[in-house]
Amino acid sequence: DFSEVPYIIKIMSGTPVWEIIASGGLIMGFTIFSWFTIKAAIGAPYVPTPMAAVKKMVKAAKIRKGDRIYDIGCGDGRVLYLAEKNGAQATGFEISPAIYLLALIKKILKGAKMKIRFSDFRNNNLGDADVIFCYLMPNMIKKNIQKFQKELKPGTKIISYAFRIWDWKETEKIPKEPEKNIAPIWIY
């Protein structure tokens, strides 16, 4: 119902334009800050993995043609795209509406076939995965260890960027390269 719009405009008619713009900016800034804070609390904020790190992660996965890979928090889809180029059937999960749309746009522009689901990976069975990619906060990794143990078949690789899976012994660790802004990569 837009019946209140003329009233709001009348109230604002005496307000300087700079105050209206500043108020809108504060509201938008608070909204964005709140969203990133919520994302950080439930999993991970959107921080794109550097492409040099993505290449190392995909190489470490040793993807074979037809491998089923999942990126659980796929962001803009960069890991999916590179994995698909290496022959994988790539699927990503993203819960941020804006980032999900960004990933879809990039998918279309690149002509990729990968699947991007606007869904929380925790509500999906990952049992057919050959490789799982993740860049999650330690608390989210810890909360999902049982899910991984229950659902993943023996031999499924998990490639974790920046944060290790506590209580698990990695099969390989690619050390950080601070000069290239690359965090450690943990392979399980």
Side-chain angles (χ1 to χ4, degrees), residues 75 94 96-108 116 118:
E94 182 55 54
S96 168
I99 306 306
Y100 169 75
L101 290 174
L102 173 64
L104 286 179
I105 290 167
K106 288 181 76 174
K107 171 188 168 181
I108 292 165
I116 302 168
F118 181 56

Side-chain angles (χ1 to χ4, degrees), residues 72 121-122 126-127 132-134 136 140-154 156 158 160 165 168 188:
I72 54 174
F121 77 90
R122 295 173 293 181
L126 306 174
I132 303 276
F133 290 96
C134 63
L136 300 173
M140 180 57 93
I141 292 172
K142 189 173 182 176
K143 287 179 185 177
N144 286 285
I145 288 175
Q146 286 184 341
K147 177 178 178 63
F148 298 151
Q149 290 171 329
K150 179 182 171 190
E151 293 180 7
L152 299 182
K153 62 188 176 196
T156 299
I158 298 179
S160 180
I165 300 176
W168 284 21
Y188 298 91

Side-chain angles (χ1 to χ4, degrees), residues 8-104:
I8 293 169
I9 291 171
K10 185 176 181 183
I11 290 172
M12 292 177 62
S13 64
T15 306
V17 173
W18 70 268
E19 283 186 27
I20 296 169
I21 292 170
S23 297
L26 286 173
I27 292 168
M28 185 180 291
F30 179 75
T31 303
I32 291 168
F33 173 77
S34 298
W35 177 253
F36 279 98
T37 302
I38 291 167
K39 284 282 286 184
I42 62 172
Y46 176 61
V47 179
T49 306
M51 277 310 295
V54 170
K55 290 175 183 174
K56 287 178 178 282
M57 292 166 66
V58 170
K59 183 178 179 184
K62 299 179 179 132
I63 294 171
R64 297 179 310 262
K65 185 173 176 66
D67 276 356
R68 162 71 58 204
I69 73 104
Y70 292 114
D71 187 347
I72 54 174
C74 69
D76 65 4
R78 59 184 63 198
V79 171
L80 299 171
Y81 181 70
L82 195 55
E84 183 180 279
K85 282 182 66 174
N86 281 273
Q89 296 176 27
T91 302
F93 299 97
E94 182 55 54
I95 61 172
S96 168
I99 306 306
Y100 169 75
L101 290 174
L102 173 64
L104 286 179

